[in-house]
Amino acid sequence: MGDDGIHDYLGAVKTGTTIMAAAYDGGVVMGADSRTSNGNFVANRVTDKITTLAENIYICRSGSAADTQALSSYITYFLHQHRIEYDGLPEVKTAAMLAKQMAYDNKNSLQAGLIVAGWDSRNGASVYAIPLGGTLIQVPFTVGGSGSAYVMGFCDKNWRSDFTREECEAFVRKTVSLAMTRDGSSGGMIRTLTINEDGAHRHLTRGHEVPVGWDEIQGTSIGEIKA
């Protein structure tokens, strides 16, 4: 509340999301919700938080939308120059290092939690987590954003190193849907992206198709809610 008794919406934290990536034998699956929040308001219900860096590399963005969009644009520009110079698709770790360096060098000015993932001919599928502050960690799976706190236990228990593509895609969709159930700043639709040697393949789970949590109200009107 402000001094005048009115809610101080301008002072609210302008973040909130759920992003994740998980590797399987032969590729990676990235996932994200589609809600962009501005404090207590939903600014965009259908945001695409999985951004293309190169044909074989993508980035999941959390934090300040403006900061992460600017970072993604810079990384895409530098990777394009890199591809011209070396005449080939860049490696995933090259993109991750670029993201890490920019996030770390500007850690006092930016609010950006990132996940870089993809597939390249030298290293295969790989996932890199870049949390706030610019640390770079290669991991088999990772979850970020405000919704991550609700689902880390689920991920630790259910992730397996021998996932098939279909199992990994189902795991990512389930994880994001559980985070959306508990986190008020995550919501909308579930976007997933599978990257492997054959390219990148997107899938969209629309709002009415997202699994409902066991304790969520499912009635369409007040009259349908039973005591």
Side-chain angles (χ1 to χ4, degrees), residues 73-91:
S73 296
Y74 276 115
I75 299 167
T76 302
Y77 171 72
F78 289 132
L79 287 179
H80 181 65
Q81 289 184 317
H82 178 80
R83 180 174 182 178
I84 294 173
E85 183 176 352
Y86 288 91
D87 192 26
L89 291 174
E91 296 181 18

Side-chain angles (χ1 to χ4, degrees), residues 34-93:
S34 66
R35 175 176 293 177
T36 295
S37 56
N38 186 356
N40 297 311
F41 299 96
V42 176
N44 191 340
R45 297 179 297 170
V46 292
T47 306
D48 188 357
K49 302 175 184 178
I50 308 176
T51 303
T52 306
L53 298 181
E55 294 176 23
N56 59 322
I57 308 170
Y58 289 75
I59 187 170
C60 280
R61 304 176 291 106
S62 68
S64 166
D67 291 349
T68 57
Q69 286 171 355
L71 275 177
S72 300
S73 296
Y74 276 115
I75 299 167
T76 302
Y77 171 72
F78 289 132
L79 287 179
H80 181 65
Q81 289 184 317
H82 178 80
R83 180 174 182 178
I84 294 173
E85 183 176 352
Y86 288 91
D87 192 26
L89 291 174
E91 296 181 18
V92 180
K93 67 179 179 181

Side-chain angles (χ1 to χ4, degrees), residues 51-154:
T51 303
T52 306
L53 298 181
E55 294 176 23
N56 59 322
I57 308 170
Y58 289 75
I59 187 170
C60 280
R61 304 176 291 106
S62 68
S64 166
D67 291 349
T68 57
Q69 286 171 355
L71 275 177
S72 300
S73 296
Y74 276 115
I75 299 167
T76 302
Y77 171 72
F78 289 132
L79 287 179
H80 181 65
Q81 289 184 317
H82 178 80
R83 180 174 182 178
I84 294 173
E85 183 176 352
Y86 288 91
D87 192 26
L89 291 174
E91 296 181 18
V92 180
K93 67 179 179 181
T94 301
M97 284 295 295
L98 283 170
K100 183 271 296 184
Q101 197 63 49
M102 282 188 278
Y104 180 79
D105 289 345
N106 300 279
K107 60 180 177 293
N108 294 324
S109 304
L110 300 178
Q111 193 167 30
L114 310 169
I115 300 172
V116 178
W119 185 94
D120 61 71
S121 58
R122 175 173 292 184
N123 303 299
S126 50
V127 176
Y128 292 88
I130 309 172
L132 293 174
T135 302
L136 178 64
I137 312 168
Q138 185 174 5
V139 289
F141 74 90
T142 185
V143 189
S146 58
S148 63
Y150 299 92
V151 293
M152 283 305 301
F154 173 83

Side-chain angles (χ1 to χ4, degrees), residues 112-196:
L114 310 169
I115 300 172
V116 178
W119 185 94
D120 61 71
S121 58
R122 175 173 292 184
N123 303 299
S126 50
V127 176
Y128 292 88
I130 309 172
L132 293 174
T135 302
L136 178 64
I137 312 168
Q138 185 174 5
V139 289
F141 74 90
T142 185
V143 189
S146 58
S148 63
Y150 299 92
V151 293
M152 283 305 301
F154 173 83
C155 292
D156 288 338
K157 180 179 179 180
N158 291 282
W159 182 83
R160 303 197 323 268
S161 59
D162 61 345
F163 270 150
T164 64
R165 171 178 170 173
E166 292 75 17
E167 289 174 334
C168 194
E169 290 173 340
F171 169 70
V172 169
R173 281 194 290 270
K174 180 65 174 178
T175 302
V176 176
S177 71
L178 289 173
M180 290 166 58
T181 299
R182 294 288 182 265
D183 179 31
S185 295
S186 300
M189 304 179 293
I190 301 175
R191 299 182 189 272
T192 56
L193 175 73
T194 302
I195 315 164
N196 52 34

